Amino acid sequence: MSRTHDPSPNIVARLHRSVWSPTPADVHRWAFAAIVVNTLITVTGAAVRLTGSGLGCPTWPKCTPDSFIPAPHDEHAPINMAIEFGNRLLTFLVLAVAVACFVAALRLTPRRDSLVKIAALQPLGVVAQAVWGGVVVLMVLHPVTVGVHFLLSIGMIAASYALYARSGEGDAPVHLLVHRHIRTLSFVLTAAVFVLIVLGVVVTGTGPHSGDKLATRFQFDIETVTRLHADAVWVVLGLTFALLFAVHITGGPTLVRRAVLTLLAIELAQALIGAVQYWLAVPAVLVGLHVLGSALTWIATLRVVFVMRDRDPIGTVPDADRLRPASV
């Protein structure tokens, strides 16, 4: 009789080794995992609101006044409690990856203080997010608190990407791959994308998907804030076109051109989703896709900024294993 080999001990051993005795490539992979899980919890957090499950667990840190896990409650449906509690559980996955990033950066030999400092933002950010999540619940999903919760996730994605990019290169001085004015334009574009995201948060806080019938809304005119958001979309698209044109006429590296083209494609898809959801009276599914698109737009913008410069490669990482920032 043949025996089925159980690979789980090997997987656990590899994960342990990648954290406790990491190579530079291990740190790089953990940073990529951090990008993924922070994007995931951003989207699932939106799903909580879009399904009306924002107060599925009406207390914090407990789910109900008498239980840390969902328990029968007269005012909340079991499905809403399960959705909200599931999103809370996902926080532990994000925390596990965050701790792995920090420990791996701390245990890396030779240690790189620059990576340790960036990696430390991961567990600190998760704790801040968890505490602020409690504020969101206690404030009955006030749109300001919900918006800040989303923006904290955007910050966590930025910190994750910074760790990803820096762990794939050395600590030599930055060498620009494009003209410095083009790099400056990429910073302006990044600021514009962030403003676009903030305006999107305002539109969301004014719109119909509050997360619970008890939640308040911004008292802005929905058409006015939507038009402001749309105007910001045109600004971002214009800056992206300008950046692509500048890179092209100056003979910028193919890597940079592809990064800007990828960003432009995501922006156009995101704009299309936004227009369609407005025409269809903001159905929840399209709003969820739009939130995912916001996260992907942010990641693609950060990638553009980082691929416009380089540092000396890490000599200890084999070429076969080494992942460059452009691989996102």
Side-chain angles (χ1 to χ4, degrees):
M1 182 180 296
S2 61
R3 294 183 179 178
T4 302
H5 176 65
D6 182 5
S8 56
N10 292 332
I11 294 175
V12 172
R14 286 199 299 269
L15 288 174
H16 178 269
R17 185 167 58 250
S18 69
V19 174
W20 202 248
S21 302
T23 65
D26 289 327
V27 178
H28 200 57
R29 293 186 185 103
W30 278 115
F32 182 79
I35 297 173
V36 173
V37 296
N38 278 290
T39 301
L40 177 62
I41 200 168
T42 300
V43 176
T44 58
V48 170
R49 177 173 52 81
L50 295 170
T51 57
S53 305
L55 294 176
C57 287
T59 62
W60 187 92
K62 292 182 177 181
C63 183
T64 66
D66 301 317
S67 175
F68 280 99
I69 63 175
H73 197 281
D74 294 338
E75 298 180 4
H76 301 281
I79 183 62
N80 296 129
M81 298 187 78
I83 291 172
E84 164 64 3
F85 185 70
N87 190 62
R88 291 189 182 190
L89 287 181
L90 189 57
T91 301
F92 291 99
L93 173 61
V94 180
L95 179 61
V97 174
V99 171
C101 286
F102 179 64
V103 174
L106 200 63
R107 296 280 301 175
L108 183 65
T109 304
R111 180 181 297 179
R112 297 173 57 190
D113 291 339
S114 59
L115 293 188
V116 174
K117 292 176 182 178
I118 300 174
L121 295 174
Q122 293 301 308
L124 291 175
V126 175
V127 172
Q129 276 283 58
V131 172
W132 193 258
V135 174
V136 172
V137 173
L138 296 176
M139 295 293 292
V140 196
L141 307 182
H142 190 281
V144 170
T145 63
V146 175
V148 171
H149 202 38
F150 179 79
L151 294 177
L152 283 173
S153 293
I154 291 298
M156 286 291 291
I157 291 173
S160 301
Y161 195 91
L163 180 62
Y164 176 78
R166 289 292 290 114
S167 62
E169 61 189 15
D171 289 323
V174 168
H175 168 66
L176 293 184
L177 302 178
V178 296
H179 192 280
R180 60 186 179 89
H181 292 325
I182 296 178
R183 183 98 193 286
T184 300
L185 180 58
S186 74
F187 291 136
V188 174
L189 173 60
T190 303
V193 170
F194 183 76
V195 171
L196 175 63
I197 291 173
V198 172
L199 288 173
V201 168
V202 175
V203 173
T204 297
T206 309
H209 299 291
S210 63
D212 191 271
K213 61 184 179 181
L214 297 177
T216 58
R217 303 272 77 197
F218 287 132
Q219 298 304 306
F220 302 126
D221 178 67
I222 186 63
E223 290 192 7
T224 300
V225 294
T226 300
R227 286 172 182 168
L228 284 173
H229 184 57
D231 290 342
V233 171
W234 286 113
V235 171
V236 167
L237 286 173
L239 288 171
T240 307
F241 272 113
L243 189 61
L244 182 61
F245 181 73
V247 172
H248 177 72
I249 64 173
T250 58
T254 301
L255 181 66
V256 177
R257 277 181 283 174
R258 287 177 178 173
V260 182
L261 277 171
T262 300
L263 172 60
L264 180 60
I266 294 174
E267 289 171 352
L268 291 173
Q270 178 74 335
L272 178 61
I273 293 172
V276 173
Q277 74 171 14
Y278 181 74
W279 295 331
L280 297 180
V282 290
V285 172
L286 289 183
V287 176
L289 286 176
H290 204 51
V291 171
L292 174 60
S294 297
L296 294 179
T297 300
W298 182 236
I299 293 169
T301 303
L302 295 172
R303 182 192 177 202
V304 166
V305 172
F306 277 100
V307 299
M308 286 189 172
R309 93 290 182 278
D310 200 4
R311 298 173 189 261
D312 288 344
I314 305 173
T316 56
V317 183
D319 290 339
D321 294 333
R322 186 161 166 258
L323 303 173
R324 299 293 294 161
S327 61
V328 169

